[in-house]
């Protein structure tokens, strides 16, 4: 599907009056974690507002930050960037200990990144990175904008900050409002921040490759030739800035994101292209909410909207509940169909060809019917999943047989 035709088709899917909902790094990290979900890939690629869509379907979730958490994060970020970001650079230099020159007060370059539109800001950021790299001085880019091609559609991303080192290398700065107590923070939150920062680093690699005129893979290698006075490259350690203990003072640690970067790069490459998904949809299908003149009231029937959403395959997993606005709707559909995916990816992988809970129960109950008087398992069926289920059913029967009847009835409820 040609680019112009694809953009027109995505606009039709979104609705003629709907503005495209922008993708951010958090959404891309979640998208990369579930590359088999064609539904999310299409909706995100088309810029559909999934939160509004979920509310119209009657399945709103609690996904996203609260207004208080968002405000607290903005307040802490502003504090961390006081004095033109010199405090951030001092934190970075202290954590690096790589022999680089210490940033002197008043010598840090803070380029102006203002431009019209995301394309303009992306171009201005690339120019500022090129100039800062060639200058060979410390520089701080506050909220730069970079782009990343996702399944054939561009996504514009805005890191909290990017530091350019005197040697031409770049460090992604991720500022979060969760506390770092005694030098450590919640591992789950740190992992989420690392995955988000990896998306930024991946986009910056593309910029570095264009500046140095080498491939992104070669740009990562320390042995790659330098085309100029300084070779632009993205460091694999990001600076995670958080409140120290329970104060509002910033502290920081370096987080190695090589693993997250490799996973994100691989998963985004594996994503099914949006044009292929769109081409397989019925003619005229759209996710348009048909908002009334007030811009809030949905006039499209829920059944019609649900049919449009269900026309695109989803790959639901319980992890989606913390990463996707449509997760509640997808979970309800998965449970209604009896899919084992609702039990988790690990369980789904262990069950092999048993794709429904009904099939799983039938396999387990088959052992109970085929067991001999000593409740020993019947002969192997040749299917490891079925054999394991039948053995588990036999063990459960043995355990229940040893329990007094009143307690047995309570356990079976």
């Amino acid at each position: 599907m040609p680019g112009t035709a694809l953009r027109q088709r995505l606009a039709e899917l979104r609705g003629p009056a709907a503005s495209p909902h922008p993708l951010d790094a958090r959404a891309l990290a979640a998208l990369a974690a579930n590359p088999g979900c064609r539904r999310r890939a299409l909706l995100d690629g088309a810029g559909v507002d999934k939160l509004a869509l979920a509310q119209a379907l009657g399945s709103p979730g609690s996904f996203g930050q609260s207004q208080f958490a968002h405000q607290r994060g903005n307040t802490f970020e502003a504090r961390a960037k006081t004095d033109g970001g010199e405090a951030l650079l001092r934190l970075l230099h202290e954590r690096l200990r790589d022999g680089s020159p210490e940033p002197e007060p008043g010598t840090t370059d803070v380029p102006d990144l203002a431009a019209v539109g995301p394309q303009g800001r992306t171009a201005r950021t690339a120019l500022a990175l090129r100039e800062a790299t060639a200058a060979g001085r410390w520089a701080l880019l506050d909220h730069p904008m970079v782009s990343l091609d996702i399944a054939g559609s561009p996504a514009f991303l805005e890191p909290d900050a990017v530091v350019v080192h005197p040697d031409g290398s770049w460090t992604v700065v991720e500022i979060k409002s969760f506390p770092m107590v005694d030098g450590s923070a919640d591992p789950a939150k740190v992992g989420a921040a690392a995955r988000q920062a990896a998306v930024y680093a991946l986009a910056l690699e593309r910029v570095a490759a264009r500046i140095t005129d080498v491939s992104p893979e070669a740009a990562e290698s320390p042995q790659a030739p330098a085309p100029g006075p300084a070779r632009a490259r993205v460091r694999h350690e990001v600076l995670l800035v958080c409140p120290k203990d329970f104060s509002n003072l910033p502290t920081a640690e370096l987080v190695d994101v090589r693993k997250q970067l490799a996973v994100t790069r691989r998963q985004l490459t594996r994503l099914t292209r949006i044009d292929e998904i769109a081409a397989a949809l019925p003619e005229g299908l759209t996710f348009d909410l048909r908002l009334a003149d007030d811009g809030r009231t949905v006039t499209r029937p829920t059944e019609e909207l649900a049919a449009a959403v269900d026309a695109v395959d989803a790959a639901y997993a319980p992890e989606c509940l913390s990463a996707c606005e449509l997760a509640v709707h997808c979970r309800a559909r998965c449970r209604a169909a009896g899919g084992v995916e609702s039990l988790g990816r690990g369980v789904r992988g262990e069950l092999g060809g048993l794709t429904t809970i009904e099939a799983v129960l039938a396999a387990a109950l088959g052992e109970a019917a085929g067991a001999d008087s000593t409740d020993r398992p019947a002969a192997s069926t040749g299917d490891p999943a079925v054999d394991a289920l039948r053995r588990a059913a036999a063990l459960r029967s043995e355990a229940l047989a040893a329990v007094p009847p009143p307690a047995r009835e309570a356990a079976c409820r």
Side-chain angles (χ1 to χ4, degrees):
M1 185 181 293
T4 303
L6 176 60
R7 287 192 294 270
Q8 182 178 352
R9 180 63 178 127
L10 294 180
E12 293 172 355
L13 290 172
R14 189 171 57 245
S19 301
H21 194 71
L23 278 173
D24 57 15
R26 187 173 299 173
L28 287 180
L31 184 62
N34 191 6
C37 187
R38 298 165 67 92
R39 180 177 297 170
R40 173 153 194 170
L42 180 65
L43 293 174
D44 282 346
V48 176
D49 186 346
K50 298 194 301 298
L51 179 59
L53 182 60
Q55 292 173 342
L57 291 171
S59 303
S62 57
F63 173 77
Q65 282 187 316
S66 67
Q67 185 176 359
F68 172 75
H70 187 70
Q71 183 178 3
R72 181 182 60 189
N74 289 339
T75 301
F76 175 70
E77 180 178 342
R79 181 181 182 89
K81 291 180 178 178
T82 54
D83 300 328
E86 292 183 358
L88 283 181
L89 267 65
R90 285 196 300 271
L91 285 172
L92 176 59
H93 186 265
E94 292 170 1
R95 300 303 184 271
L96 283 174
R97 301 186 183 92
D98 60 351
S100 59
E102 183 177 356
E104 298 294 335
T107 62
T108 300
D109 295 333
V110 184
D112 182 9
L113 303 179
V116 178
Q119 292 88 353
R121 291 186 59 197
T122 301
R124 182 67 189 91
T125 295
L127 179 60
L129 285 169
R130 179 190 296 272
E131 293 174 346
T133 302
R137 299 191 299 270
W138 289 100
L140 177 71
L141 277 68
D142 187 6
H143 282 287
M145 181 158 283
V146 291
S147 65
L148 195 62
D149 187 79
I150 304 299
S153 180
F156 297 98
L157 313 171
E158 189 177 2
D160 292 329
V162 173
V163 173
V164 179
H165 299 247
D167 64 356
S169 60
W170 307 343
T171 294
V172 175
V173 178
E174 188 69 11
I175 302 175
K176 296 296 184 182
S177 59
F178 55 81
M180 192 175 291
V181 181
D182 293 334
S184 63
D186 184 342
K189 294 181 178 179
V190 173
R195 289 189 294 272
Q196 186 175 340
V199 175
Y200 297 136
L202 185 60
L204 283 166
E205 283 181 359
R206 297 330 192 233
V207 181
R210 290 195 297 271
I211 291 177
T212 58
D213 197 23
V214 295
S215 67
E217 291 75 16
E220 291 182 308
S221 172
Q223 288 76 32
R231 178 174 64 85
R233 63 182 178 87
V234 183
R235 292 183 177 234
H236 59 76
E237 288 184 316
V238 303
L239 186 70
L240 176 62
V241 182
C242 299
K244 183 178 182 180
D245 298 326
F246 297 100
S247 69
N248 204 29
L249 299 176
T251 187
E253 290 295 334
L254 290 172
V255 180
D256 193 323
V257 296
R258 277 179 291 187
K259 178 180 178 181
Q260 292 84 354
L261 191 57
V263 170
T264 302
R265 185 185 293 110
R266 182 175 65 251
Q267 297 293 61
L268 291 181
T269 302
R270 290 173 53 195
L271 281 173
T272 305
R273 291 186 59 84
I274 295 175
D275 54 356
E276 297 175 2
I277 303 175
L281 296 177
E283 189 68 27
L285 185 140
T286 178
F287 307 108
D288 187 10
L289 302 180
R290 297 174 191 164
L291 298 178
D293 294 338
D294 60 5
R296 296 187 303 271
T297 305
V298 178
T299 64
R300 190 173 182 186
T302 303
E303 297 77 10
E304 183 180 328
L305 190 59
V309 172
D310 294 340
V312 188
D313 293 335
Y316 171 76
E319 294 87 347
C320 296
L321 292 171
S322 61
C324 181
E325 297 88 339
L326 276 178
V328 175
H329 172 81
C330 296
R331 180 182 62 180
R333 288 293 194 264
C334 184
R335 287 177 173 176
V340 296
E341 292 84 355
S342 61
L343 303 177
R345 290 195 180 100
V347 176
R348 174 66 187 91
E350 292 290 340
L351 291 175
L354 301 174
T355 59
T356 66
I357 294 177
E358 182 180 359
V360 171
L361 293 176
L365 293 176
E367 165 54 30
D372 60 22
S373 57
T374 59
D375 283 332
R376 288 176 298 181
S380 172
T381 64
D383 187 329
V386 174
D387 292 342
L389 286 168
R390 292 187 173 183
R391 178 58 180 164
L395 293 174
R396 180 176 183 275
S397 297
E398 290 180 17
L400 290 177
V403 176
R408 186 188 314 167
E409 293 178 2
C412 292
R413 290 196 186 102

